[in-house]
Amino acid sequence: MAASDWVGDILRYRCLAYGGIMSKYFQTIRFPVPEVGSPLSVVLSWALRNTVIDQLLTQRISVAKKIYRTPIDWLEEKTTGMADCILVNSQFTAKVFKETFTSLSHLEPNVLYPSLNVENFQPCDSDGLTEFVPAKRKIVFLSINRYERKKNHNLALESLCTLRDKVSLQDWEKVHLIVAGGYDDRVTENVEHYQELGQLAVKYDISNHVSFLRSFSHKQKLCLLQNCTCILYTPSNEHFGIVPVEAMYMYCPVIAVNSGGPLESVVDNVTGFFMCAFT
């Protein structure tokens, strides 16, 4: 087949990928072109549209905003329905897709679970967690997420506070929580939420048992995953959530909120545990 033929097939093959984490996984993915009807595969990274559902990214508080958004929402749904293939990053995202685009509820999105570049997640030499916590702290919980309110870092602090009231003073002195997340001082929410979490730790009188880490390196991340006791994954209704997958690959158990993508990646009582977001 001539190059001009399969280039034309790429241009005719419209693929939408819903799920904010998916773009990095399309850089090398090979995907069959349905119109060719053969095992031919082409690189689609540049031909894919990767996004989250735009309708879910904005609030419609005022009447003016509702009027403004109506044609945009209609256009998004209409053009989405023109795709030959729709990819989502979890069954949960597929459900959200159908609930949001009601006129497309007859379509069945294809689930393509994100994965890891395992070469970047190999055990590394480290001195444990001495860089992050006092040496006597042997039970270390780790919460990894961006410093955004929707990521619900508060739940990790509240859980630590509850744990303090349930264990002996001797055992409590062995416990520590590391809150690690992406941080950009140009982003107002990052700055505000980092400060809010610090204030909350003081309010709960657990600040001596919490370390806040901002914009850590990949090497630090590997060290944290390799040496912590378990991951606390606190967001609710996360469309997929790559952190639990990273943790499990590094043999680190996961305690996650029982909603969204982690329900499809974590095996309860095997590779982790689920909890209610409100307990």
Side-chain angles (χ1 to χ4, degrees), residues 90 92 233 235-241 244 248 254 256-268 274:
S90 67
F92 175 77
Y233 196 67
S236 295
N237 298 322
E238 192 81 348
H239 282 245
F240 179 72
M248 291 183 291
V254 179
V257 172
N258 59 349
S259 67
L263 290 174
E264 300 171 46
S265 61
V266 179
V267 181
D268 195 25
F274 292 116

Side-chain angles (χ1 to χ4, degrees), residues 18-46:
Y18 282 102
I21 197 172
M22 298 181 75
S23 59
K24 69 180 71 174
Y25 302 102
F26 290 126
Q27 293 173 3
T28 58
I29 186 172
R30 293 184 174 273
F31 204 93
V33 180
E35 294 162 321
V36 174
S38 70
L40 172 67
S41 293
V42 295
V43 178
L44 286 177
S45 59
W46 58 274

Side-chain angles (χ1 to χ4, degrees), residues 126-152:
S126 69
D127 297 325
L129 296 174
T130 55
E131 177 185 354
F132 309 105
V133 301
K136 63 180 180 180
R137 304 283 164 78
K138 302 299 183 182
I139 303 173
V140 180
F141 299 100
L142 174 63
S143 177
I144 296 182
N145 264 303
R146 294 187 301 276
Y147 280 98
E148 298 174 356
R149 296 181 181 93
K150 68 180 181 180
K151 298 302 184 180
N152 203 16

Side-chain angles (χ1 to χ4, degrees), residues 94-151:
K95 178 182 176 183
V96 172
F97 175 90
K98 290 191 172 188
E99 291 174 347
T100 304
F101 295 144
T102 54
S103 70
L104 305 180
S105 59
H106 61 286
L107 299 179
E108 291 296 335
N110 295 282
V111 176
L112 178 62
Y113 288 117
S115 185
L116 306 179
N117 182 347
V118 296
E119 293 180 357
N120 293 332
F121 283 87
Q122 299 304 314
C124 60
D125 296 330
S126 69
D127 297 325
L129 296 174
T130 55
E131 177 185 354
F132 309 105
V133 301
K136 63 180 180 180
R137 304 283 164 78
K138 302 299 183 182
I139 303 173
V140 180
F141 299 100
L142 174 63
S143 177
I144 296 182
N145 264 303
R146 294 187 301 276
Y147 280 98
E148 298 174 356
R149 296 181 181 93
K150 68 180 181 180
K151 298 302 184 180

Side-chain angles (χ1 to χ4, degrees), residues 18 49 53-60 65-81 100-104:
Y18 282 102
R49 170 187 171 190
I53 299 174
D54 186 65
Q55 293 185 32
L56 304 180
L57 297 179
T58 182
Q59 296 181 343
R60 297 157 179 78
K65 186 63 175 292
K66 291 179 181 178
I67 295 174
Y68 163 75
R69 284 295 313 187
T70 297
I72 297 175
D73 294 345
W74 176 87
L75 185 63
E76 181 187 17
E77 188 163 343
K78 187 70 173 178
T79 55
T80 296
T100 304
F101 295 144
T102 54
S103 70
L104 305 180

Side-chain angles (χ1 to χ4, degrees), residues 203-234:
K203 175 184 176 181
Y204 289 154
D205 194 24
I206 56 174
S207 55
N208 290 336
H209 289 259
V210 181
S211 298
F212 294 99
L213 184 61
R214 295 175 288 183
S215 296
F216 47 88
S217 67
H218 183 70
K219 183 177 180 180
Q220 289 176 316
K221 182 178 185 177
L222 290 180
C223 178
L224 291 169
L225 291 173
Q226 187 172 308
N227 293 284
C228 72
T229 305
C230 74
I231 282 282
L232 301 182
Y233 196 67
T234 55

